[in-house]
Structures are given as structure tokens and as C-alpha cells.
Amino acid sequence: MTQKVAVLGAGKIGEALISGLLRAGRTPADVLVTARRPERAAELRDRYGVEAVGNEQAAKAADTLILTVKPQDMGTLLDELAPHVPADRLVISGAAGIPTAWFEERLAAGTPVVRVMTNTPVLVDEAMSVISAGAHATEEHLLRTEEIFSPVGRTLRVPETQQDAATALSGSGPAYFYFLVEAMTDAGILLGLPRSVAHDLIVQSAIGASVMLRDSGEHPVKLREAVTSPAGTTIAAIRELENHGVRAALLGALEAARDRSRELAAGGR
């Protein structure tokens, strides 16, 4: 792998990608980083041995540009980058809500753009990265994108029309699980368990259930039914969840996340 990759706006997600690129076999000389604060750029340089540069230099030197700034900051970044990005560069956007067409309108004609929504488990190499091609992105560009994101988790290609839904489901998804674990921990304390015991019970149960969902190939209903015996403890709890409208609340929450993704994108434009 000899092509240079630049990570622009290297926060936590950007840093995780840098680490993944290096673990996948790229040398520090093949990776460039930019950061808003000079001390952050110096930190990444010292930690990984990569070169910290300005946005203009990154645009000119790298074959692939990964834009990891927030949606509301993307317009400012594109204004700075656009005059310096040749049409043969691959531009990968990690900004929620902003379509590839928005980038294509501001970059040189024919510039390939790929949109990716990843999530915070990228920090532990368990990300879900959802990939969509813009109008000028080819199979080679998609493979190059997968090569970048595969070391930090799983990748999945979807049509761009599904990206806002993917943002609501997996981009924000880890927060829903943390919220559930927080609530279940409080319930464990209410039932008389020490917080540390409740936490360990719930976290390991979540890990085990996740592995079963991933590896068994079974529908979640079948896995749930395997735990739910007639007139038992589990069905009593599930009845309460249904009585309190938990399923409907989740549907509404995901719709709200999708709509907010679109609002943030409009602010970035």
C-alpha cells in the first residue's frame, strides 16, 4: 500500500482510523493528519510518527482525503480545500447527513466521493461503517474505502438513500445501548445489588447476547423466545416493557435521530 492517506480534522474517530491504517500495514510516512489545534497535531505526530500538515498541503499530497469534521464545520473545510483538490483524489466524508452530491458540486468535476457513517466502537476495532458511493466513485474507490475502515470493524455497502437511516440506527446506536445499560444498572441497585455487581452482570449479558445475535444466524425473536418460558420471570418483564411502550418509543427515537441528521446536514451546507 503506497498511496498516501490524509485524515483531516483528526479527533477521536480520526485518530482511531490512523491507528487502524498503521495496524493494517501502512507506514507512518503514508499517513498525513490535520487538526484545528497545533497541540493536537503535535500529539498525533508524536504518538504515531505521522506527518502533521495543513489542509491545503494534505489536499495536494494525499491520494485519499478522509474528512472527519462535524457536519456543521464541513462547509468551512470545503471552502478551504476545494481549490486544491485535484479531480483524481478520492474524498471520503464521515459527516452525518451531508450527501455526496453536495461535495461533488464544490469539488473539481468528476471528483470521486464516498460517504461513510461509522460509530464510536471504531475505538475498539468493533465499528459498523456504512459505505455509499457518489456519482463518480468506482468499485476501486469503494474497495479502497473498505480497506481503510475494515481494520477497525465491519463495513457494509448501502445505497446513499439509506444513509440517514443508517446514521440513526448504527451511527447513534451505541448511545442507545449505553442508555439501556445505565437504566438496567439503576434497576439492579433498586433490586438490592451493589452498582459494580449490577454493572458486571449487565455488561457480560450484553456481550453474550450480541455474540449470539452475530454468530447464531437466528432471528432475535427466536433468541428471545428461548429465554422466555411460560409464566416465567422474563415474560413478566417483557409485558411491562410493552405496557410502557418501549417498542414505540424506540421507533420514535430513531425517527428523531434521522430527522436531526438531516437538520445538521442543512446547517453544514
Side-chain angles (χ1 to χ4, degrees):
M1 295 177 286
T2 58
Q3 293 186 328
K4 281 189 178 293
V5 175
V7 179
L8 288 79
K12 289 185 176 180
I13 297 293
E15 181 175 358
L17 290 176
I18 294 166
S19 178
L21 287 166
L22 297 177
R23 292 198 309 277
R26 294 182 190 265
T27 66
D30 295 329
V31 180
L32 305 175
V33 298
T34 77
R36 180 179 298 177
R37 295 180 292 109
E39 57 271 26
R40 173 60 174 166
E43 178 185 4
L44 294 170
R45 181 193 63 220
D46 295 341
R47 182 173 298 165
Y48 298 101
V50 296
E51 184 179 0
V53 299
N55 289 329
E56 179 179 341
Q57 184 179 347
K60 293 178 179 178
D63 302 283
T64 300
L65 305 174
I66 308 173
L67 314 184
T68 64
V69 302
K70 296 177 181 179
Q72 53 267 40
D73 296 328
M74 194 61 77
T76 300
L77 178 61
L78 256 289
D79 288 343
E80 183 179 351
L81 283 180
H84 311 291
V85 180
D88 62 350
R89 299 292 191 265
L90 168 59
V91 176
I92 300 174
S93 166
I98 304 182
T100 55
W102 182 86
F103 293 91
E104 292 163 352
E105 291 171 0
R106 288 156 176 77
L107 297 169
T111 300
V113 180
V114 173
R115 179 175 168 184
V116 179
M117 173 47 58
T118 192
N119 57 18
T120 55
V122 69
L123 300 170
V124 293
D125 295 347
E126 291 290 350
M128 181 72 256
S129 299
V130 184
I131 297 172
S132 300
H136 310 296
T138 66
E139 177 67 14
E140 187 274 331
H141 296 123
L142 290 172
L143 289 172
R144 200 191 308 176
T145 303
E146 290 170 339
E147 184 180 72
I148 290 169
F149 283 87
S150 291
V152 292
R154 184 182 170 192
T155 63
L156 181 68
R157 298 185 191 182
V158 302
E160 189 170 9
T161 54
Q162 297 177 6
Q163 274 283 356
D164 286 325
T167 297
L169 201 62
S170 67
S172 299
Y176 314 147
F177 289 100
Y178 301 146
F179 184 87
L180 180 60
V181 168
E182 178 187 1
M184 291 177 70
T185 301
D186 288 343
I189 296 169
L190 178 65
L191 297 175
L193 294 173
R195 177 176 293 277
S196 61
V197 172
H199 175 83
D200 288 349
L201 290 174
I202 294 162
V203 170
Q204 185 56 40
S205 296
I207 292 171
S210 298
V211 172
M212 289 183 71
L213 278 167
R214 184 189 64 191
D215 296 347
S216 70
E218 295 284 0
H219 193 281
V221 170
K222 295 192 70 173
L223 293 173
R224 177 180 59 78
E225 287 176 345
V227 188
T228 311
S229 55
T233 59
T234 306
I235 192 61
I238 288 174
R239 181 187 65 182
E240 287 301 307
L241 293 173
E242 294 290 7
N243 286 343
H244 286 82
V246 172
R247 191 185 303 265
L250 283 170
L251 294 174
L254 290 168
E255 286 186 324
R258 178 205 60 195
D259 295 344
R260 181 56 178 157
S261 172
R262 293 172 177 172
E263 292 172 2
L264 287 172
R269 299 179 212 178

